[in-house]
Amino acid sequence: MSPELQELLVAYRVVRPALLPVLPAAVLTLFGLLALLVDVFELGRTRGPAEGEQGTPIMAPYLALIGTALALGCVGWQALHLAGAGGPYFSGMVVLDGFGVFLSGVVLAATFLTLLLTIGYSRRHDIHLAEYYHLILMAAAGMLVMVLAGNLITIFVGLELMSVGVYVLTGFRRTRLRSVEGALKYFVLGAFSTGFFLYGIALVYGAAGTFDLAGIRDAVSVPPASPVLLAGVALLIVGFAFKVALVPFHMWSPDVYEGAPAPVTGFMATGVKTAGFAAFVRVFMSTFDGLADQWIPVLWVLAALTMVVGNIAAIRQDDIKRMLAYSSIAHAGYLLVALIAHSDMGTAAFLYYLAAYTLMTMGAFGVVIVMGEKGTENTSIERDYAGIAWRHPLLAAAMALFMFSLTGIPPTAGFVGKFAILSAAVASGHVPLAVLLVLTSVISAYYYLKVVVSMYMWSSSREPIRSHVPAMAAIALLIAVVGVLGLGIFPGEWVEMARASVVAVTGLP
Amino acid sequence: MTGVAIAFWVLAVVAVLCSLLVVTSRNPVASVLYLVVTFFCLAGLFVTLHSHFLAAIQVIVYAGAIMVLFLFVVMLLNLGTPQWFDVATTPLTAVALVLGVGFVAALAAAGLGDFEPSVVGPAAGVPPDVLGSTEAIATALYSAYYLPFLVTALLLLVAMVGAVVLARRER
Amino acid sequence: MTAANWIWLVPALPLAGVLVNGLLGRRIGKGGVSVIGPGVVGAAFVVALALFLELAAREPEARTLSQTVYTWIAAGDFHASAAFLVDPLSVVLMLVVTGVGFLIHVYSAGYMHDEDRLGFARYFTYLNLFTFAMLVLVMADNYLLLFVGWEGVGLCSYLLIGFWFKDRANATAGKKAFIVNRIGDFGFLLGIFLMFGTFGSVAFADVLPSAASVLEPGGPLAFWICLFLFVGAVGKSAQIPLYVWLPDAMAGPTPVSALIHAATMVTAGVYMVARSHALYDMAPAVLAVVAGIGAATALYAATIGLVQTDIKKVLAYSTISQLGYMFLGVGVAAYAAGIFHLVTHAFFKALLFLGAGSVIHALHGEQDMRRLGGLKSALPVTYWTMLAATLAIAGIPPLAGFFSKDEILWRAWDAGHPVLWAIGLATAGLTALYMFRLFFLTFHGPFRGTGEQRQHLHESPPTMTVPLAILGVLSLVGGWIGIPPAIGQALGGVPNAIESWLEPVFADTHAAGTSQAVQGAHAVPPSEYALLAASVAVALLGILAARYLWLARPELPTRIGLRLRAPAAILSNKYYVDELYDAIVVRPYNALSRFAWRVIDDGLIDGLLVGGTGAVVKWQSRVSSAWQSGAIPTYVTVFFGGVVAILVYYLFG
Amino acid sequence: MSEIGVGHYLTLSAVLFTIGVIGVLTRKNAIIVFMAIEIMLNAANLAFVTFAMSIGDLGGLVMVLFVIAVAAAEAAVGLAIIVAMYRHRETVNVEAFTAMRG
Amino acid sequence: MSFYLTTILFFPILGAAMLAGIPGRNRTAIRQATLAIAVIHFLIALPLWWLYAPGGAEYQFVERVPWIDALGVEYHLGVDGVSVLLTLLTVLLTPLAVLGSWRYIDHHVKEFHILLLVLTTGMLGVFFALDLFVFYVFWELMLVPMYFLIGVWGGEQRIYAAVKFFLYTFLGGVLMLVGILALYFYHEGATGAYTTSLADLLATPVPGGLQLALFLAFAIAFAIKVPMFPFHTWLPDAHVQAPAAGSVILAAVLLKMGTYGFYRFAMPLFPEAAREALPWIAALAVVGVIYGAMVALVQPNVKKLVAYSSVSHLGFVMLGLFALNSTGVQGSVIQMINHGVSTGALFFICGMLYERRHTYEIAQFGGLSAVMPVFAVLFMIVTLSSIGLPGLNGFVGEFLILVGMFQSHPWMTGIATAGVILAAYYMLRMFQSVMFGDVEIEANRRLPDLSGREIAVLLPLVALIVWIGVYPAPFLARTEPSVDRFVERVTRTAQPVSAGIAALEAPSTEAQSPPGAEPVAREAQP
């Protein structure tokens, strides 16, 4: 073997390979494969009985649930070993730190809730396929990779794993035009943005000579930033902005959210956003920390646009999934404010808010999901939600709670989250942005209240919805309700946890 | 003018022309074929950059696999004929061109034209031919870039499953 | 000392009456009520009398009793107690209020007997409440408590005017009374604020003695305080320009008119000014205003009274006119004289009203003099008592009116206001004229009523006639408590009882008034006799004219009316003042309110600002969804636009 | 390489990338849109290789492999989606799919 | 540390939980249960009247336990004289509200009463809070049940009214939230301690320019709630649409939160700013007094008339607060209670009219005195108290306010005093057209007089009306020390006005690191 190769072997040896950081993802992968295969080998079929029809159930959903639960356990295990075992692994391809672990938890929680909610749904809408659960798990695995990624390549492949999975999930109800149309739009725009993201990576690579986040930070720490680097940063912003749906890169999300099966929409609104934001924040808070003065103005504008457009556009929506899509755009704006604050406080607020946001959004989608009937999802606020409060008091109460939480009314998680973000913004002197945030959230009150108004104050004009709440979904909703209230009334520990998790973010090698 | 230079110019011009034809020609089949040509040109450019292995992959995977897939779908849906709707005169075309110009201008301003690497990689000393060789790439892929490699594998699996799920006929 | 501890009883008794009649009225029935109602007032009168004697027994300087019941308001520097002050001045008023009040209560028991149980109880509840409030007013030892009584009597008048609320007109009259009074009270309040700001207290004991030292004579502070207080008086005592409510107030039951709108409440203004004389002495300018307005009102009201056809309206205007006299009196710093006229007026005016009431009672609510006449035979008691009262108000010696009115005129002259004196004199003549017009039209000539009215003509029951009789006597002799030196000496040194009684209160007055009073004791200037003669002559002239016009040549007034159509119209329409106020105050205010509601509230704030914001947001919402066309090319273009924008910012910005 | 420098390659990649973008923006035929995207990816690849060679790092070259894999995956899924949408509307005109808007 | 306040505060929630257990069909049971709960709650809270020692510490029954250490937020409750009175008012009105809506509420009875109880907790929380965070939490919390009360059990336009109410208040609230945060970080910058405790924040005077900004942030929120002209337009809608009990609570307690906010937070925290803004706010208050009276005059709808009269009355309250002397502020505190009692009673009366005729149109009534004598008497007393007749409660408050304000601003006071006339005008006019005249409308001929229940609703209020009017001393005595402290604090002159908003960024540079986490050196953003 030639000496040069020897040299390369040393230069590119794998440093610190270990199972611990990738364990959750590994578990998910494992169970994902199992979910796909077991049924085939056991029963030779991967389609479970639809709602109302008899037939031996398939195992995939339960395997998926177990897998997610185990993965969550693993995350907990990671959290315990964080102190000693923190740091980069696999030559820095992944980094195990509080930030990543916290968000892994959020992602898996979102996945878990999605699964709980989706089982009844997918039977009702006849997409009760093993592949469905397989894809959810794989996408979740991709998210975990993104969350922990310490290298642009890892981020990229993780992102793709997640995205491709979600593209397919979006179009999973392929017998429905909207589902497919959603998939098409998501895919075209997704691939398009991938192109830019990739080119951004290329430029950054060119400027910094490496894909390693830490390495890049060291390389670019010496100002002034080269124009190539700036162009790269710009394109990376674009890539992330697309994934988390910031204006003007948001246009796909309303259509996709509306078209996708409700549980998938929820999954997108929470999991995908979390993963996207995780990478976004990690890259900008740590790697491009030194360039803050360059990227903050841009993000400032994006945040302002996002909050305004998201909230304003949501006002006239009647389809609740679409409304929630715009609302999640708006919330992306709020989260961005936390990033703009560019402080540990901001990052902590960001973590806390993501947790709160995941709970309340999942909850809201949970209600949307159980509202559905065979063949229709009943998503019209004015028609389907009118007066349900008096037929399904608990369901309506839960929905109202989530709506108020999304509005930011105490004592809910949403309020404390907003409080934290506002604190960070004000503390960093971004008072105008803070004011814009609260003003837009007043606008948001209008459309969130519309749901409550419809549920409690309008009388139903259609035949009553025969929505029975599957046990699993009930559990999911219960978790969401308890979470939203818990985080709202006793936020202490959570805020602490978020704070603690932050400390490690900047602790990249 | 060295051979490399000639090769570059020829390949570059052809690549640009073909890609232009890809996005302009009315007939998808034609587009596919132009795209194949473009890929070949890129493979050639890789060769001029001494990464023969990638050139090979480019030809095999892209021209060989992906393009066939495209062609297959085109035929399957028999879109082989010009599509009435697909005139490249969208009202947005003008905007698109302006923006495109702006984009190129920006990248130019970023100094791509006269880019000089400001950093040296870990393999700086290694001669290009070795760097582009299969062994070298394999070395990196199976050690440092081992994890993303695994993830890519999963990605392909997911894509496979997804394609099956989506394209499968109704039962 | 013991007497003071009983002071609270005086207002407490009527209050007890209020509670009993108000809460148990229906239970104890008309009989019970007609015992309790007058009873408590009578009792109060007795206590008041006892207090009077207590005072009388003391040295002039020591003639003040006071009792603090409890601290009412104490907030920051401000402090006001529920405390009563009994001094020569207030005791006089107490006696009038309780005494005349008692008689009228008794009278009412008869007058109102047609009411159902509920109404009857309600009536006496109100009447007792009024007595209570009026007593608080006159006994208060500070301005705030006085104001409590002040508004309290206003409330009762509101309630009693609208007593027969089924007829909207009555209720409206009550409302008008209350609101016009409020306008006056507004001034009163400002006066209190300013006073508190100046003296740091509103208690008579703090304010009045220190007035001379704190206020500079003729200074702005004194001027404004007094003026504001006087605005209150103007409202309460129905002087120009706030007199408009009193004629309408006649809508109430006649005894009410007698008690509230003749004898007591309306004179509260006079009392208040007299009580505040220490302040007014510091503000001669305001005194001049008081006198001027008083005189003007006197004459003005008299002219209107001349042509009114409603018996009660005539009396109402005559009341306004007489109140004018009183203000003229206090306005020339002859406070004692003012109070004196207040007392006598209470007697004969109450009597007049009660008499009128008896007439109305007899004719089942007929009030239009054009349909009365020749009742002399039918209602003897009423006739004779009315005659006494009419002579008294006309100022025929030696009846009550003569002395008090003459005192005021003489003081006006003496204080160097010949013009005011002249006006007063003219008014005296007019008074005699229109009062006898009333008298003749009512009791003499042919009966102009309907046949069946004639059937039921009957003298009133003793519950009504006895009070009439008593008041009749008082109208005859009531004036003898204030015999002027001029006559007093002639009669061998009869003192001016009321003047000397009130002397300790007004002693510190260093205006024209007392200087004369002092030296008047020995040397009476001949001019005074001339004035006496003049006023008596004028009065007689008025009577004769009345006799000629309305008995001898009844058709003559009509012809005069036809001859001087314009003036007659003006008079009978009360100078169109109501219409004027309606046009320049009420209508504009209502219009403005409507404007505020429709234009500012609904239009500007809600419509433009609130609605506008909403509209803008909704419009933006439409715009953004227009961009959300659903077509991928649009999306990617916008996307790419964003990309280029950021790149350009970085690389060219 | 005498007068042919890194700049040439990068410029070429930029031009190709832009052509791809324009294609995506202007074409309505979903398949051609995909092809345009493929062009973008290839442009990026060219950039990676160029940078890798000039810097002297294997990362860029490895990245190209991943990109090709990703491209393949996306092509598979994308084309599947096209098939699915064609089943609904008998067309691959992206503008025919605007059921969801606003 | 006693948990007396906590008990008072959360007892209604407990009750609501118990209500949830009762089957919704059994309406009377629910009503009775709620009534029982409310009465017990009243009895629990009543001892405050005696236990509170006016002369003692500024805040009493203080409870202070850490809540969110990370943010330096504490669960910090306590009462002073003013909050004691408002608390008692609140707990008194809840049972009456239950009684008052006994008939009125006929659908979703259970939910209604649960919300009513939750609302009570929210309101009490506002009066107890000594920590800005806690205060804000309850401030917003109270919004939700009220929103439902209006929106579900309201009249024709209820949804519009409910949403309007919510958005108005929420808008004010969130601006205040930003203000709170700015104060929070300014304090941290000045002292290095993160806290939202009122006492600590009071201890750190804020520089003038910043003070003005923060004062505005707070003042707008409160002014909307009060409501002050021109932020009042939500009130008529909310009132007219809300069910009787809702209107009562809204008028009697919710509006007080605005004035209470000025008293407890806005003015003491930013004294210089308050004094700077005094002429403007006083002017607005005067405008409110006159304007409210005028608009009330022309209302064809009883409830709307009363609503606008509230605008007028609250104008007086604001005037008193800004008199900045003990007399005026005392008056304004009394006036808060008065308005609660009198207007509360008026809205009950509107409800009783509505129960009988299902309309609020004044024109639909007339001559009721003859038909309903008892009602007539009570209505009259309440009307008079709202007019401010001496001897009834209204007068004490208004007089003290005016006499207090007159010393500093005679002209404004003069104009405001005219409001007394106007009040008489519109109230008596309304009273006359409803109660007097002959009964023209057939439907009114045989209206039943007040039932025992209805009398039970009104009597306590009428009793208070007379008590406060005749013998206000006990009330004044309880508030005097607190008010003096307030006046002293607001009129005290601190260091001169200096740096503006800049003072906000200045500390924010090191305000980056949260407590607990070790500070990370990082420059603040421009």
Side-chain angles (χ1 to χ4, degrees), chain E residues 196-276:
Chain E
T196 48
S197 149
L198 178 61
D200 303 357
L201 294 174
L202 282 174
T204 331
V206 183
L210 175 59
Q211 236 190 58
L212 204 53
L214 297 184
F215 178 77
L216 280 183
F218 279 69
I220 289 176
F222 297 142
I224 289 176
K225 198 65 152 197
V226 168
M228 292 185 71
F229 180 90
F231 304 111
H232 63 282
T233 55
W234 63 271
L235 186 72
D237 294 308
H239 267 315
V240 174
Q241 299 308 326
S247 307
V248 172
I249 301 286
L250 188 61
V253 187
L254 261 64
L255 303 193
K256 303 306 164 303
M257 295 183 170
T259 49
Y260 178 80
F262 275 103
Y263 165 83
R264 166 71 74 240
F265 299 101
M267 294 170 73
L269 280 170
F270 318 111
E272 285 88 359
R275 291 203 298 276
E276 219 164 302

Side-chain angles (χ1 to χ4, degrees), chain A residues 17 29 69 78 126-127 131 140 170 211 220 257-258 261 310 332 410 424 437 454:
Chain A
T29 317
Q78 288 177 326
D126 195 18
I127 53 173
E131 292 87 343
T170 308
F211 294 104
V220 304
Y257 279 36
E258 183 181 347
L437 194 161
S454 171

Side-chain angles (χ1 to χ4, degrees), chain C residues 70 72 75-76 78 144 151 165-166 172 175 182 186 193 196-197 589-590 592-593 596-597 600-601 605-606 610, chain E residues 164 168 232-233 291 294 297 299 308 327 369 387 390 399 402 407 414 420 425 432 436-438 469-470 472 480:
Chain C
Y70 65 90
W72 179 32
F78 188 84
L144 195 62
E151 284 245 326
F165 56 79
K166 279 202 167 60
T172 316
K175 195 181 71 190
R182 265 285 163 122
F186 162 71
F193 298 155
F196 175 72
Y589 176 75
N590 293 1
L592 193 60
S593 306
W597 176 32
I600 300 182
D601 235 45
I605 300 176
D606 248 12
V610 180
Chain E
K164 196 173 180 183
Y168 257 83
H232 63 282
T233 55
Y291 182 88
M294 291 179 82
L297 178 71
Q299 295 307 321
Y308 275 107
T327 313
S369 286
I387 292 180
F399 180 80
L402 291 171
Q407 310 317 326
V420 177
Y425 188 16
Q432 174 184 353
F436 291 157
D438 213 349
V470 175
E480 182 126 38

Side-chain angles (χ1 to χ4, degrees), chain C residues 17-40:
Chain C
V18 173
L19 297 177
V20 175
N21 295 334
L23 301 178
L24 314 173
R26 259 190 287 193
R27 201 133 328 118
I28 61 180
K30 283 193 195 177
V33 172
S34 46
V35 172
I36 302 267
V40 287

Side-chain angles (χ1 to χ4, degrees), chain E residues 109 191 220 248 495:
Chain E
V109 178
T191 67
I220 289 176
V248 172
Q495 81 285 21

